[in-house]
PDB file of all heavy atoms in Angstrom:
ATOM      1  N   ALA A  26      -8.330 -11.276   1.343  1.00 98.00           N
ATOM      2  CA  ALA A  26      -9.151 -11.601   0.133  1.00 98.00           C
ATOM      3  C   ALA A  26      -8.260 -12.059  -0.993  1.00 98.00           C
ATOM      4  O   ALA A  26      -8.562 -13.107  -1.632  1.00 98.00           O
ATOM      5  CB  ALA A  26      -9.936 -10.348  -0.282  1.00 98.00           C
ATOM      6  N   VAL A  27      -7.137 -11.350  -1.277  1.00 97.00           N
ATOM      7  CA  VAL A  27      -6.334 -11.804  -2.377  1.00 97.00           C
ATOM      8  C   VAL A  27      -5.666 -13.162  -2.139  1.00 97.00           C
ATOM      9  O   VAL A  27      -5.646 -14.048  -2.967  1.00 97.00           O
ATOM     10  CB  VAL A  27      -5.204 -10.721  -2.608  1.00 97.00           C
ATOM     11  CG1 VAL A  27      -4.198 -11.240  -3.628  1.00 97.00           C
ATOM     12  CG2 VAL A  27      -5.827  -9.425  -3.181  1.00 97.00           C
ATOM     13  N   SER A  28      -5.207 -13.365  -0.846  1.00 97.00           N
ATOM     14  CA  SER A  28      -4.623 -14.635  -0.525  1.00 97.00           C
ATOM     15  C   SER A  28      -5.603 -15.783  -0.575  1.00 97.00           C
ATOM     16  O   SER A  28      -5.324 -16.851  -1.166  1.00 97.00           O
ATOM     17  CB  SER A  28      -3.979 -14.537   0.886  1.00 97.00           C
ATOM     18  OG  SER A  28      -3.532 -15.758   1.340  1.00 97.00           O
ATOM     19  N   LEU A  29      -6.774 -15.559  -0.010  1.00 97.00           N
ATOM     20  CA  LEU A  29      -7.822 -16.611   0.049  1.00 97.00           C
ATOM     21  C   LEU A  29      -8.328 -16.969  -1.329  1.00 97.00           C
ATOM     22  O   LEU A  29      -8.505 -18.111  -1.706  1.00 97.00           O
ATOM     23  CB  LEU A  29      -8.945 -16.169   0.958  1.00 97.00           C
ATOM     24  CG  LEU A  29     -10.095 -17.126   1.130  1.00 97.00           C
ATOM     25  CD1 LEU A  29      -9.641 -18.392   1.839  1.00 97.00           C
ATOM     26  CD2 LEU A  29     -11.254 -16.432   1.924  1.00 97.00           C
ATOM     27  N   PHE A  30      -8.613 -15.939  -2.120  1.00 97.00           N
ATOM     28  CA  PHE A  30      -9.194 -16.159  -3.458  1.00 97.00           C
ATOM     29  C   PHE A  30      -8.169 -16.762  -4.450  1.00 97.00           C
ATOM     30  O   PHE A  30      -8.493 -17.518  -5.347  1.00 97.00           O
ATOM     31  CB  PHE A  30      -9.773 -14.863  -4.039  1.00 97.00           C
ATOM     32  CG  PHE A  30     -10.925 -14.324  -3.224  1.00 97.00           C
ATOM     33  CD1 PHE A  30     -11.174 -12.966  -3.180  1.00 97.00           C
ATOM     34  CD2 PHE A  30     -11.748 -15.144  -2.447  1.00 97.00           C
ATOM     35  CE1 PHE A  30     -12.236 -12.482  -2.390  1.00 97.00           C
ATOM     36  CE2 PHE A  30     -12.748 -14.671  -1.699  1.00 97.00           C
ATOM     37  CZ  PHE A  30     -13.014 -13.325  -1.661  1.00 97.00           C
ATOM     38  N   THR A  31      -6.880 -16.417  -4.193  1.00 97.00           N
ATOM     39  CA  THR A  31      -5.878 -17.047  -4.992  1.00 97.00           C
ATOM     40  C   THR A  31      -5.725 -18.510  -4.714  1.00 97.00           C
ATOM     41  O   THR A  31      -5.569 -19.336  -5.669  1.00 97.00           O
ATOM     42  CB  THR A  31      -4.492 -16.371  -4.749  1.00 97.00           C
ATOM     43  OG1 THR A  31      -4.591 -14.981  -5.118  1.00 97.00           O
ATOM     44  CG2 THR A  31      -3.354 -17.038  -5.511  1.00 97.00           C
ATOM     45  N   GLU A  32      -5.893 -18.878  -3.445  1.00 96.00           N
ATOM     46  CA  GLU A  32      -5.772 -20.301  -3.091  1.00 96.00           C
ATOM     47  C   GLU A  32      -7.046 -21.087  -3.485  1.00 96.00           C
ATOM     48  O   GLU A  32      -6.925 -22.214  -3.926  1.00 96.00           O
ATOM     49  CB  GLU A  32      -5.590 -20.344  -1.568  1.00 96.00           C
ATOM     50  CG  GLU A  32      -5.528 -21.734  -1.022  1.00 96.00           C
ATOM     51  CD  GLU A  32      -5.333 -21.834   0.489  1.00 96.00           C
ATOM     52  OE1 GLU A  32      -5.092 -20.729   1.079  1.00 96.00           O
ATOM     53  OE2 GLU A  32      -5.415 -22.904   1.005  1.00 96.00           O
ATOM     54  N   SER A  33      -8.260 -20.521  -3.306  1.00 95.00           N
ATOM     55  CA  SER A  33      -9.460 -21.296  -3.416  1.00 95.00           C
ATOM     56  C   SER A  33     -10.294 -20.881  -4.662  1.00 95.00           C
ATOM     57  O   SER A  33     -11.279 -21.532  -4.928  1.00 95.00           O
ATOM     58  CB  SER A  33     -10.334 -21.107  -2.202  1.00 95.00           C
ATOM     59  OG  SER A  33      -9.611 -21.500  -1.017  1.00 95.00           O
ATOM     60  N   GLY A  34      -9.926 -19.762  -5.368  1.00 95.00           N
ATOM     61  CA  GLY A  34     -10.702 -19.317  -6.470  1.00 95.00           C
ATOM     62  C   GLY A  34     -11.688 -18.252  -6.130  1.00 95.00           C
ATOM     63  O   GLY A  34     -12.381 -18.366  -5.061  1.00 95.00           O
TER      64      GLY A  34
END
Side-chain angles (χ1 to χ4, degrees):
V27 172
S28 175
L29 179 64
F30 298 151
T31 296
E32 179 180 350
S33 303

